Amino acid sequence: MTLHLYDTETRALREFTPLVPGHASVYLCGATVQGEPHIGHVRSGVAFDVLRRWLLAHEYDVAFIRNVTDIDDKILNKARDAGRPWWEWAATYERSFTWAYDKLGVLPPSAEPRATGHITQMVELIERLIASGHAYAAEGDVYFDVVSFPDYGALSGHKLDDVHQGESAGAGKRDPRDFTLWKAAKPGEPSWPTPWGRGRPGWHLECSAMCEAYLGPDFDIHCGGLDLVFPHHENERAQSKAAGDGFSRYWLHNGWVTMGGEKMSKSLGNVLSVPNVLKNVRPQELRYYLGSAHYRSMLEYSDNALQTAAVTYRGIEGFVKRTVERAGEVPLGTWTNDFADALNDDLGVPKALAAVHATVKSGNSALESGDLGGAVEHASKVRAMLSILGVDPLDPHWATGGGDNDAVEGALGVLVDAQLQARAQAKIDKDWATADAIRDRLAKAGIDVTDTPNGPEWSVGATSSTDEAGQ
């Protein structure tokens, strides 16, 4: 395996060489659990789940940490406005995020630490920074001295003179470019005791402490959304390196989901929550859509694009399931060389999907010609490739709550088979108008019927009403 990843810090494609051979340590900045997850939130989960699956497929022992930010200004403000305890608010939406990740088939992390569970590690990190001259306390707050760290800005490319943290200036802050490590307690807010008085952690401090606690002072890959490069990841990097840690060796950042060219966010009011989107497509179809673009590119959302991706996935799924129906079994095979080359080139999923579609095309030709052995061989390869992308149609996850419902699918099968039998009888009776009407009715309901030498075969496609809604 020769995997190359685009490193944000060096702005170059670099060969992945882990600190420990055969072991990969990965940290993904997880959710700030302030509200319902939207598809922009979970894109990073899907994108870096592909990275994890690719490493696992090559027998890496992967330590994958995805944190939960459960204490934050936004959480406190929203809980207060709703008249709810902050911890209840955070726990409620943490469950929502877990549900969304699970629904989309994202593998559970090796550990999912909460910020509030690591106050001791944060205090210890601050003490190291103060002792080394990189931080200072002022009236209960503690700040990182940005000027004391000459390498500040290396990750984001920011020049020191242009740095704006976006924080309100505290009374004791020496330089507006300094950022907060610890916030002095305010009335009505949660707080913890420290040598500098009661207070709560700053956002950037949380991830540095959790990275070190679970992955050590040096680890392989730090992942997150492009919007986190500055100030969050820049500040993480600065405080950890200033404290003496090597910190992350590779920085990976995924692009945003956009609407009208703008980043999807709650403040813009263009949020598409995962539960709402799943009213229109199945979880595996949403995952296919979110993962189909290159992880570093922007993904411009539209209903039509989502429905197109769903129909495309159903076509791949239909080939695999038809092969199972005809051959009885399709084992999990191995991916093609083109697929591997694409993923090894900075997780190039679009080119990897081209390899999937080429294999499906060959497999469909084999099915049409009656070459069941060839069809099974191709379907096995398709399963292997889709498994890395997290959307293998035969994965038990999609049949046990993640996607298809067995009872519903069984009932649908009975109804469609009855219609196909009626159509077959109409053909025998040379009642072509009735036969065509049945086929048209099925097509309108989203059932694609293909006449083969072995009889009609059907699959779920897109309804005409759905197509119109997406235009």
Side-chain angles (χ1 to χ4, degrees), residues 201-422:
W203 178 34
H204 315 303
L205 179 74
E206 297 173 352
C207 282
S208 282
M210 288 184 283
C211 284
E212 183 175 10
Y214 289 87
L215 300 177
D218 303 270
F219 60 96
D220 293 316
I221 301 172
H222 196 311
C223 305
L226 186 63
D227 52 322
L228 300 179
V229 176
F230 185 88
H232 185 46
H233 288 169
E234 188 70 71
N235 291 349
E236 272 189 65
R237 177 185 179 277
Q239 65 201 5
S240 292
K241 285 185 171 290
D245 293 349
F247 210 55
S248 179
R249 300 174 67 247
Y250 299 82
W251 290 88
L252 273 61
H253 292 94
N254 65 278
W256 303 330
V257 176
T258 59
M259 291 183 67
E262 295 186 273
K263 176 179 175 286
M264 185 175 293
S265 66
K266 286 180 166 54
S267 61
L268 292 176
N270 56 10
V271 176
L272 285 169
S273 73
V274 174
N276 283 338
V277 175
L278 290 181
K279 293 177 182 177
N280 300 317
V281 294
R282 297 177 299 161
Q284 56 268 56
E285 293 165 354
L286 176 56
R287 175 172 177 135
Y288 180 89
Y289 169 68
L290 291 175
S292 59
H294 193 281
Y295 78 94
R296 289 196 287 118
S297 68
M298 299 300 174
L299 180 61
E300 175 68 13
Y301 176 83
S302 71
D303 291 338
N304 187 55
L306 175 62
Q307 293 296 339
T308 298
V311 171
T312 301
Y313 176 75
R314 291 171 203 160
I316 302 170
E317 177 186 46
F319 160 65
V320 173
K321 291 191 172 182
R322 285 194 301 275
T323 304
V324 171
E325 291 168 2
R326 297 274 297 276
E329 182 182 7
V330 172
L332 193 64
T334 58
W335 49 79
T336 68
N337 290 335
D338 287 346
F339 180 87
D341 290 343
L343 283 195
N344 282 334
D345 184 13
D346 195 32
L347 306 177
V349 171
K351 289 184 178 180
L353 283 173
V356 172
H357 292 305
T359 308
V360 169
K361 182 178 180 180
S362 297
N364 275 323
S365 296
L367 270 182
E368 291 171 6
S369 67
D371 178 10
L372 289 186
V376 169
E377 180 181 356
H378 287 96
S380 296
K381 292 178 180 179
V382 169
R383 282 198 64 197
M385 293 184 282
L386 293 186
S387 178
I388 299 298
L389 303 180
V391 287
D392 172 16
L394 302 186
D395 189 310
H397 175 79
W398 303 121
T400 56
D404 295 341
N405 182 282
D406 288 342
V408 172
E409 191 171 88
L412 178 64
V414 171
L415 295 173
V416 173
D417 287 344
Q419 288 291 298
L420 292 179
Q421 289 174 16

